[in-house]
Amino acid sequence: MKSFVRKWMLLLAVLAAILAGCTDKSDGEGSAESDGDGKLEGELNVAVFQGGYGGEFWKQLAKNFEEEYPGTTVKVTANPDIGEMIRPKIIAGNPPDFVYLNQTDPSGVTQGLIKEHGLTDLTDVFEGNALDEDVPLKDKVLPGILESVYMSPYDDGKIYLAPYNYNVMGLWYNKTLFEKNNIETPKTWDEFFALNKTAKKHDRALFTYQGTSPGYLEEILIPAVYSLGGQEALDQMLNYDPEFWKSDVAMKALDIFDKIASKDNALMNGTVALDHTQSQTAFMQGKAMFIPNGSWFEGEMENAPREDGFEFGFLGVPTFDKEDPLLALNSIEQVYIPKGAKNPELAKEFLRFMYTEESIKLNGELAKASMAIDGASDLVKEYLTESSYNVFKAVESGMYSISGNFAPVPKGVNVNPREVLFSQAASIMNGEMTTQEWADKMYGVYKEVQEKME
Amino acid sequence: MKSKRKTGFILLCILPTLVIFAMFIVYPVTQVFYKSLFSSSGFGSSDQFVGITNFIELFSDDVFIQSIKNTGFLMLVVPVITLLLSLIFASMLSFGQLKEKHLYRTIFFFPSILSFVVIGILWAFIYHPNMGIVNEIMKVMGLDQYALTWLGNPDTVLWAIAIVMVWQAVGYYMVMYLAGMDSIPKELYEAASIDGANAIQQFVKITIPMLWEIIRITIIFSINGVLNISFVLVIVMTSGGPNNSSQVALTYMYQQGFVNANFGYAMAIAVVVFIVAIILAFISNKLTEREAL
């Protein structure tokens, strides 16, 4: 009997080894083909996330591209789970040629590829001229974006991800309420907290946020850090310099949340337990004066109940100095070409094609969004909700919009500093933690990241 | 010689099963063990062998320890309450000889056929701090100070989730026990009543021993069920919050793997969970072992 078991274990082991051999072989394959032959023909596989923007834009863009470039075929796969669908293909060395995943894609594919250095360098696309104009493409992109860690994740001056849709985030309020009662929108944090009395008078809390997704609080924290310490402090925070958490800037910025938690009912009752839809609905029903969110707000909440006369008003984020312009945080959706794509040259041409005026308009029409290109919001004005158009306009006319994305953490780091940072917010809001403890905790996390970086 | 041929034939017959078993169970599980020794972002091309580093880091990771504690809490509390309630309900239906027996059976079973995601959303609204029915009831009863932020308070959030899990599973186990009770010969009860045993004595001395094998199975089922269901409920209802106080092992594994792109580390979590689950199943099996009647 013993020998019988042994025999079978041996067989299983051999089988496992064969199977293991199957997968290992595929590693690293495909990179040899990535040079491509530069010919603008052949087949292009485009994988796009189908979410709030739908998938129609990409399908129509593909058709237009095929017409413009005879001899090419573009196959578009649009799916809400596109990240999970392409992961095995990437592992097998057969990635799509062109990928759009949304900013908060839960599959982690984009993050993984950035960590792996698995993206094609796109610098030449942006150095070169635009397809429909005689200027370098990079001059058409909104300032600051290509240099940001969103598009240029390694600090080597090269661009690996290309900007697609553009969002602006900050605080929102009910315009009707403010206009009817002659309430002035706050310019500074002091004015903001002074409004707590007014809020009580109108039977609502001062503030609420997307409780179970505390990451939305970065729409306040990042502008606050910028307001206090400028780009220098912000870089410190986003690039994991532990000393940042010992600075006055950090303490003052974190204090905003402590004040919200400790001031007489400034935080809407129960906020910590609500998900984003629940808290946003409560805000629209007049339970709170302010909520952080992005330019997609009106579209997202199209069918949600609201108090009488509710109107979306975008305020930006208050500053600490009355002289400073109001601030806003921006986020940019990314598209990229994975390393090992079969036809990178054609994919790059497809990318250039995406930035033509015609495509920008098409995107406005079908995805109801504005690309991160100068003047794009005016090109697509008729397709945007009024509030989101106003948000883009506000940024173009004096409100300062900041790019703030945490740098990718090196491999082998098992904490996600951004996640740790914002999950502590709940403990502040519940009164179980002081800002000093919050900063100390972050100091420890940053220290850990720092050690692995060296 | 004869027996050798027989073994050969048996082997031939079970070969397909063995191959499938190896491909879909043995291979993936060994891979998980193997990959937990790597630092990996999930694309395989630059995986680094790091030995047991992942495991060492796990045990100094506060969130992981918290998540294991939470999982352990649910694995202890939920099966005990669920199985006790199911037993009580099943015996009430079985002995009471209620006319509406089938109606109750359907009603109790109903939560088990709902999708976990739906259950999560439903209960998130039931616990809603401002418009949820739980708090409304508290207010109507004049217990305003107990109208809490159930899912937003680290002291209550785990119990709140545990209650949902009990609610979801009670009907399922009740139906299993009911079926078991129906198969117990009526003569046993008749003989017992003649000897003067009351209902509770009959329940303890006849029903429980006769059901014992089913109960043993349901304990293991229930412990494993907790592992799975807690994942979906936590993702839907709290995302692990507030501040990781409702994080369970599998949600943390998911977060490390798919959000942070630390697949090696996530595999290490999976290995620990696997081992813990096996040990628990083993312990409960040993503890409930009894000589057959």
Side-chain angles (χ1 to χ4, degrees), chain A residues 4 7-8 11-12 15-17 19-21 23-24 27-28 84 86-87 90-91 105-113 115-116 212-213 268-275 278 282 285 287 409-416 419-420 423-427 430 432-433 441 448 452, chain B residues 7 11-12 14-15 18-19 21-23 26-27 30-31 34-35 39-48 54 57 61-63 121 124-125 127-131 149-155 236-239 242-244 247 252 254-263 265:
Chain A
F4 160 75
K7 231 191 268 169
W8 278 101
L11 185 77
L12 288 185
L15 218 108
L19 284 169
T23 48
D24 286 349
D27 287 353
E84 288 311 324
I86 61 174
R87 181 196 302 281
I90 297 173
I91 294 173
D105 176 70
S107 72
V109 165
T110 307
Q111 281 309 312
L113 283 174
K115 271 190 188 176
E116 287 281 325
T212 60
S213 313
M268 188 182 80
N269 179 30
T271 295
V272 214
L274 302 181
D275 66 22
Q278 288 174 331
Q285 288 176 327
K287 298 278 192 314
V409 289
K411 252 178 108 162
V413 175
N414 295 322
V415 292
N416 180 340
E419 181 120 7
V420 179
S423 63
Q424 310 298 312
S427 295
N430 277 334
E432 289 158 353
M433 199 188 228
K441 167 113 193 173
E448 199 185 325
K452 291 266 170 79
Chain B
T7 343
L11 285 183
L12 195 71
I14 58 173
L15 187 68
L18 272 178
V19 169
F21 181 72
M23 270 172 72
V26 177
Y27 175 67
T30 45
Q31 279 289 303
Y34 177 62
K35 294 275 178 176
S39 166
S40 158
S41 51
F43 293 101
S45 51
S46 65
D47 288 0
Q48 273 168 328
N54 284 332
E57 290 194 1
D61 181 342
D62 297 341
V63 182
I121 295 172
F125 275 101
Y127 286 129
H128 194 293
N130 306 320
M131 49 186 249
T149 308
W150 302 101
L151 296 176
N153 186 331
D155 300 330
V236 174
M237 291 171 73
T238 65
S239 308
N243 197 4
N244 293 315
Q247 195 79 257
Y252 192 52
Y254 178 82
Q255 200 181 66
Q256 283 294 354
F258 293 97
V259 182
N260 298 358
N262 291 327
F263 277 85
Y265 197 62

Side-chain angles (χ1 to χ4, degrees), chain A residues 57-67 74 76 350:
Chain A
F57 163 66
W58 297 101
K59 286 173 188 159
Q60 192 56 47
L61 186 70
K63 263 184 213 154
N64 294 354
F65 186 78
E66 282 171 353
E67 269 170 33
V74 184
V76 177
F350 188 69

